[in-house]
Amino acid sequence: MNAADLSEGTDAKGRGPRLLFYLRLVAAQLAMSTLTALQYRLGFWTEGLLGLLWSVIGIAPLFVAVDHLGAVEGWGRWELVVLTGCFTMLSGLFTALLQPALRASMTHILKGTLDYVLLRPADGLVLCLTCAFQPWHLVEVLGGLALVVAGLSLGEAEVTATGLLAGLVTGAAGLMALYAFGVLVLCASFRALQLQALTHVMEALMDFGRWPAQVFPPLLRLLFTFVIPLLVMTSYPAEALLGRLSWGTVAQLAAVSATLLVLARLAWVRSVRGYTSASS
Amino acid sequence: MTAAAAMVRVEGLCKRFSVPRREAGLRAALRALVRREYRVVEAVRDLEFSLAPGERVGFLGPNGAGKTTTLKMLAGLIVPSAGRVEVAGFTPSDRRPEFLRRVSLVMGQKRQLSWDLPAIDNFEFNRVVYEIDPVHYKRRLEELTALLDVGEVMRRPVRQLSLGERMKCELVAALLHGPQVLFLDEPTIGLDVSMQLGIREFIRRYNAEHGATVILTSHYMEDVAALCPRILVIDGGRLRFDGSIEALRRQIRPLRRVSVRAAALPDDPTAMGRVVLREGGRLVLDVAPERVPEVVGALVALPEAQDLAVHDAPLEEVMRALFGREEAADLGGAIGHAR
């Protein structure tokens, strides 16, 4: 074999569509994280137990309080349960997928091992956003989903196919906004190292998403919709599921998320071009 | 070498970094919080060279000379401030997947393998990332693991491997996709002598069998001397020498080192050459190459002469002399003509 056929087996004719490649890549990254979690048995079960415990701790007060909940700014008790479900799902996705990936990527930047990530023949951002995963935190997502189903079933709001579709679209927009915000935080760590604490700030900020948009004064509502779009992530998807959101608003929220995504992508490209690696 | 035939082509390559600086002490630290001063460091200045496919080339230079920065610009990790780089027909900083599939970087001080998993899981991940079809993957894995003797090692978690075993696994991970250009940044750092020899032998064999271009930086001169017929000396970000080690030696330390042990040494050996050591019955001289036969003849004739040896100056000494020279910049005249 010589240089001409060194890349044999990795040439273009053997490769499938890019979407399939990225699906396989993300699956392989998640598999690596799962294998890491399974590598240490005690750690695996402890993580699992803690994941369950956090889910129960997060949801239990709601069950205690549900009988005593009055209306909050036009939201009935079961509607608040739907909102809490949306929040719990998003929080679970954050702690299972985004937060560990951001922390691992920031560590890569700090130690200079981002070099290896950037040398792989795939989109560096996709590799960074899927490089770590805490599978047990997906329990929270299931818990949140159960709350949404319970809230919709037991509440008075009429559940329609259009409402569900609007909820899905708004939820997807919320998730995109969350990831875009995460990418901007990651890009900040290219300039200022040791910014892992920012992921905790993100986590703390997300707590505002527990509340309906209507409880915030207009200025904060604008801030949490267009600048730090926490309400796009939780309150608006809940409203959409409850059939209270117009398609015009859904489109606006999707536009906000898309704009954030474009900004995040531009910031990433700029950050990588300015990347100086760490000296060895 | 024609431009079209070159695997690596570098023209007027520069890299400038803006580095924060401050004086020592709390006051300066507080002042820097408000107003930080920056200084521009020219890490690489106006480099020009080209490498043919299959060449093994060593970058030599003191710490901070710009070797690793150059290597990282060639690999596409750092975007040059000025100049032009082409590797395997691509501009590295574009980081196109087609380019990244043709290169690989191994760094002795950083690892790509996941600490907690056996190396075999990492290899499998690379199979997906580089889209290596299963038949080729199996064949390459068998070939590389046999060459590096890591058949069992790769099944243990990376954290439990010795440094040498880990480096072997890093090499497997880097070569599974069959790169045409292999960048090696201090690959033998911290390894014991036998492991260094093993890694060197593997790299030489891999280059001979696969024709991959190898670019190496190392502080171990033996690595460079054993592996690289051609060296590029970089200092202060500039290319100071491009040629063979022999040519560098001839240029910097042309004298040959002659040593002997005898029952009685000559009264005035300075007539033969420069005396490096005269201790007990041992004499070490630096002798002009044209006078070596004459001096050897004289030393052999000494009473009970033994252990007579003639060496080139050690590479470390050559480098020390090179980087210590005031007139070192003049070496630039030798660039490209000293093979």
Side-chain angles (χ1 to χ4, degrees), chain B residues 221-240:
Chain B
M221 298 301 166
E222 293 85 357
D223 276 355
V224 180
L227 273 173
C228 303
R230 179 180 171 194
I231 56 170
L232 302 181
V233 177
I234 298 172
D235 187 22
R238 291 186 196 279
L239 185 60
R240 297 253 305 268

Side-chain angles (χ1 to χ4, degrees), chain B residues 107 146 231 246:
Chain B
M107 292 179 276
I231 56 170
E246 283 319 304

Side-chain angles (χ1 to χ4, degrees), chain B residues 63-225:
Chain B
N63 286 331
K67 307 180 298 286
T68 301
T69 303
T70 305
L71 202 71
K72 287 181 175 174
M73 285 195 279
L74 296 182
L77 284 169
I78 295 180
V79 180
S81 304
R84 193 168 163 217
V85 186
E86 201 177 286
V87 176
F90 294 89
T91 301
S93 57
D94 290 347
R95 269 206 280 270
R96 291 176 57 187
E98 296 82 359
F99 164 72
L100 296 171
R101 264 188 273 274
R102 285 171 168 79
V103 300
S104 206
L105 171 67
V106 176
M107 292 179 276
Q109 307 208 59
K110 294 175 192 169
R111 59 187 167 80
Q112 72 157 305
L113 300 174
S114 170
W115 197 240
D116 299 307
L117 296 175
I120 184 89
D121 285 330
N122 290 272
F123 301 158
E124 180 58 28
F125 176 68
N126 277 13
R127 184 188 72 73
V128 176
V129 174
Y130 286 95
E131 298 175 87
I132 309 168
D133 73 59
V135 176
H136 284 97
Y137 171 74
K138 190 167 178 289
R139 201 181 77 200
R140 277 195 195 126
L141 187 60
E142 280 172 1
E143 180 200 347
L144 292 168
T145 51
L147 274 173
L148 285 163
D149 191 23
V150 288
E152 264 316 299
V153 167
M154 68 181 181
R155 289 179 171 78
R156 300 206 307 260
V158 171
R159 67 163 67 242
Q160 289 174 9
L161 304 183
S162 70
L163 188 58
E165 290 170 336
R166 182 173 70 69
M167 185 44 66
K168 285 179 169 182
C169 290
E170 290 280 348
L171 279 168
V172 175
L175 296 173
L176 273 172
H177 62 284
Q180 291 173 1
V181 184
L182 178 59
F183 301 107
L184 300 166
D185 188 18
E186 311 268 2
T188 57
I189 198 159
L191 301 185
D192 63 42
V193 175
S194 91
M195 197 60 86
Q196 282 181 28
L197 287 173
I199 299 274
R200 263 181 232 156
E201 183 49 37
F202 168 77
I203 293 166
R204 195 185 356 245
R205 197 165 160 188
Y206 184 84
N207 164 263
E209 289 178 7
H210 297 276
T213 305
V214 176
I215 302 168
L216 168 80
T217 74
S218 178
H219 280 112
Y220 296 124
M221 298 301 166
E222 293 85 357
D223 276 355
V224 180

